[in-house]
Amino acid sequence: MFGQLSDRLEQAFKKLRGKGVLTEKNIRDSMREVRQALLEADVNYKVAKRFVAAVQEKAIGVEVLKSIDPGQQVVKVVHDELVELLGSKAEPLIPPDKSPTIYMVCGLQGSGKTTLVGKLALQNKRKNKKPLVVAADIYRPAAVKQLKVLADSIEVEHFYLDDKKPPEICAEAVKHAQKNFFDLVIFDTAGRLHIDDELMVELEDIKQKVQPHEILLVADAMTGQDAVNVSKEFHERLGLTGVVLSKLDGDARGGAALSIREVTGCPIKLASIGEKLSDLEAFHPDRMASRILGMGDIVSLVEKAEETVDLEKAARMQEKLLKAKFDFEDFLEQMGQLKKMGPLESLVGMIPGVGKALKNIQLDERQMERMVAIIKSMTIEERRNPNIIDGSRKKRIARGSGNSVQSVNQLLKQFFAMQKMFGNIGKMKLKGLPAGMNPFKL
Ligand SMILES: Nc1nc2c(ncn2[C@@H]2O[C@H](COP(=O)(O)OP(=O)(O)OP(=O)(O)O)[C@@H](O)[C@H]2O)c(=O)[nH]1
Ligand SMILES: [Mg+2]
């Protein structure tokens, strides 16, 4: 379904690829195109705006890796941001158990509720679970029949009470399920053309009476922004536990899929990708992002290049550490890398024998920030050669970083101790560090 969006994004990236260097201008130009592509795909305009701003900021700050084309790196930034937009990680449904587990399926008319109920029942039956499907859509006579036919076709039990309202039907269904050891009860609720109060009150009633473990909204991806608005309203009224995107196999422009998570804050848990009962998938943000970009190869290429650079850096750092040649510049670089490749302790941990000794050191975020602030107040010369930092320099650094001279002294003391320690390790290949030694404590 994302064909058009993929094409447009590819065009936007084409201009960047093959460029030797990335300038702020050419990033901005291509981001304008990305934004246009998103809007054309019917992505909510606020979502598109935020998305592009985030990508732009990251792309401009990206460290250019020598082994690959900078344009490819931007593709990777867009990919990562897309994954985030779609919810970062897959969120599976609460699994069935004998209590039983209860799923309530709701949504507008024709969105694919009954189909989803059948799909969920089949999927669980295949896992040797015992599902019960419940007709809670009593307003359209054909609806009860439709579910019954579906249930029969997959040999799953169907529950319905002729003379009761949906909330009672659901409550009775759960009792029946408990008595008869079902693992899973799935309610097929009524759809309406538009959200109306009567329907919402009924769904709220069911929720209150039986406390479903999952309240799933089926959002028809073909309806574009409508699907987003509907999801938002349902979520506000019912507190959804998840959204199921249906008809993702259609040729809609895809904007709904991209906006729902961000606009509602509710995770997309499943993707319905066809009319057949087996056409149901867990929703994986990363796979979806790759599908949209259609550039999985580039993404893994950049990942690999990043890994290599990190390893090279780590090796260089290790060498410096062992020769006791590292300075505050290296220190700062390490701080910058912390988020990306784990803390200094893990880097240091690569040195044989040191890892264990450092294992229990906890790095405090605030302490780190203070250290960075102090180091940033140093001149480059001071960072490269901390020995020149005398009394008046210390005063200046303390003032500049909003810390006391004592803190600066402490940092220096520890820095020298660390330098010496690693120097010793380098020379003598010590097997461990003195117990309780924490070179990071300020
Ligand atoms: N292509 C495609 N069609 C789907 C999908 N899910 C459902 N449909 C079709 O959409 C139509 C409506 O599906 P239903 O499951 O009956 O929808 P509903 O929400 O129960 O509808 P009402 O009960 O009338 O509110 C049917 O023709 C389904 O075959 C899907 O993922 N892809
Ligand atoms: Mg139905």
Side-chain angles (χ1 to χ4, degrees):
M1 75 178 292
F2 296 104
Q4 204 185 331
L5 176 61
S6 299
D7 290 348
R8 291 281 278 109
L9 288 175
E10 169 129 39
Q11 272 172 30
F13 296 135
K14 224 181 227 153
K15 296 191 180 155
L16 284 176
R17 289 163 73 177
K19 284 232 169 26
V21 278
L22 281 185
T23 63
E24 214 169 304
K25 182 175 179 311
N26 55 37
I27 290 175
R28 277 185 210 285
D29 288 347
S30 71
M31 285 309 128
R32 201 168 303 127
E33 280 189 50
V34 168
R35 181 158 165 267
Q36 201 56 39
L38 292 172
L39 291 176
E40 276 171 27
D42 202 25
V43 172
N44 175 293
Y45 76 96
K46 278 189 202 151
V47 173
K49 197 171 157 195
R50 266 202 301 274
F51 181 85
V52 166
V55 170
Q56 190 160 299
E57 191 184 324
K58 285 179 194 156
I60 288 173
V62 86
E63 186 182 355
V64 175
L65 304 172
K66 55 181 182 292
S67 57
I68 47 171
D69 185 326
Q72 294 176 326
Q73 274 181 270
V74 177
V75 172
K76 169 74 166 34
V77 174
V78 171
H79 172 270
D80 291 353
E81 202 62 32
L82 263 181
V83 174
E84 191 135 316
L85 183 68
L86 292 167
S88 299
K89 58 178 193 339
E91 302 219 20
L93 298 184
I94 292 171
D97 66 35
K98 289 285 174 205
S99 7
T101 304
I102 304 166
Y103 298 166
M104 169 157 113
V105 173
C106 49
L108 291 190
Q109 208 165 73
S111 55
K113 295 179 294 298
T114 307
T115 310
L116 178 71
V117 171
K119 287 177 178 182
L120 286 169
L122 178 63
Q123 199 179 62
N124 280 285
K125 187 182 145 95
R126 284 184 175 159
K127 290 182 195 155
N128 295 320
K129 299 289 174 192
K130 196 176 161 193
L132 177 68
V133 299
V134 182
D137 177 3
I138 55 167
Y139 305 101
R140 222 165 30 88
V144 180
K145 178 109 187 286
Q146 185 196 355
L147 186 67
K148 172 90 171 72
V149 170
L150 204 62
D152 288 348
S153 76
I154 54 174
E155 295 175 353
V156 158
E157 196 175 316
H158 171 267
F159 188 94
Y160 175 60
L161 296 172
D162 214 355
D163 50 348
K164 294 278 198 309
K165 290 271 187 209
E168 283 98 68
I169 296 177
C170 291
E172 288 302 318
V174 172
K175 278 189 208 151
H176 175 78
Q178 279 161 347
K179 248 186 252 148
N180 296 282
F181 306 104
F182 282 84
D183 304 281
L184 179 64
V185 183
I186 315 172
F187 305 149
D188 181 27
T189 67
R192 296 285 158 91
L193 268 181
H194 302 284
I195 291 176
D196 67 42
D197 205 52
E198 213 179 325
L199 170 72
M200 284 299 175
V201 169
E202 184 174 292
L203 294 174
E204 280 166 343
D205 261 8
I206 299 177
K207 175 181 176 182
Q208 213 225 338
K209 250 199 167 80
V210 295
Q211 313 258 318
H213 299 89
E214 294 277 3
I215 302 179
L216 302 169
L217 175 83
V218 183
D220 183 339
M222 306 272 277
T223 62
Q225 286 304 302
D226 263 358
V228 182
N229 298 332
V230 167
S231 307
K232 196 162 174 250
E233 286 190 51
F234 268 83
H235 190 40
E236 278 162 12
R237 283 292 286 260
L238 286 171
L240 302 173
T241 60
V243 172
V244 179
L245 282 175
S246 69
K247 309 186 193 177
L248 268 182
D249 51 314
D251 58 1
R253 293 172 293 165
L258 289 175
S259 317
I260 278 184
R261 169 72 207 229
E262 174 104 349
V263 172
T264 64
C266 188
I268 302 171
K269 291 191 167 173
L270 298 165
S272 205
I273 47 159
E275 290 185 273
K276 287 201 308 295
L277 288 186
S278 51
D279 295 333
L280 182 67
E281 285 181 355
F283 185 83
H284 290 278
D286 51 346
R287 285 186 213 162
M288 188 57 78
S290 301
R291 209 184 284 178
I292 293 168
L293 281 178
M295 298 174 191
D297 48 337
I298 293 181
V299 172
S300 44
L301 188 76
V302 178
E303 271 165 8
K304 214 172 259 151
E306 281 173 351
E307 260 169 41
T308 320
V309 166
D310 286 346
L311 284 178
E312 277 172 15
K313 271 191 186 155
R316 265 206 313 274
M317 184 60 71
Q318 181 172 328
E319 199 177 310
K320 277 187 165 180
L321 279 172
L322 290 180
K323 286 188 181 156
K325 275 201 172 146
F326 69 107
D327 57 26
F328 278 123
E329 289 270 275
D330 301 319
F331 216 94
L332 264 193
E333 187 184 301
Q334 274 312 304
M335 298 286 173
Q337 290 249 320
L338 283 183
K339 276 213 184 78
K340 233 168 76 191
M341 60 180 294
L344 187 55
E345 70 207 41
S346 72
L347 179 64
V348 171
M350 291 177 196
I351 306 170
V354 175
K356 240 198 234 148
L358 283 179
K359 215 170 185 169
N360 297 322
I361 291 176
Q362 287 284 319
L363 293 176
D364 179 326
E365 287 268 328
R366 274 200 327 267
Q367 276 180 13
M368 305 275 261
E369 274 167 28
R370 186 141 41 115
M371 275 156 64
V372 170
I374 294 176
I375 299 170
K376 282 197 167 157
S377 291
M378 297 175 186
T379 63
I380 298 226
E381 207 193 343
E382 287 163 350
R383 284 183 215 164
R384 294 203 176 134
N385 186 10
N387 286 310
I388 64 168
I389 302 177
D390 57 12
S392 69
R393 284 178 192 259
K394 280 179 196 164
K395 257 190 226 152
R396 196 205 72 244
I397 293 167
R399 233 186 356 252
S401 64
N403 283 287
S404 63
V405 172
Q406 204 187 0
S407 298
V408 179
N409 268 334
Q410 244 172 330
L411 175 67
L412 285 170
K413 208 168 114 197
Q414 263 152 2
F415 175 80
F416 289 128
M418 207 165 129
Q419 216 177 30
K420 200 165 145 208
M421 176 177 85
F422 286 119
N424 285 342
I425 292 172
K427 270 188 243 139
M428 296 149 66
K429 298 253 185 281
L430 286 183
K431 285 274 179 279
L433 292 175
M437 184 149 189
N438 182 351
F440 305 104
K441 203 155 188 158
L442 197 63

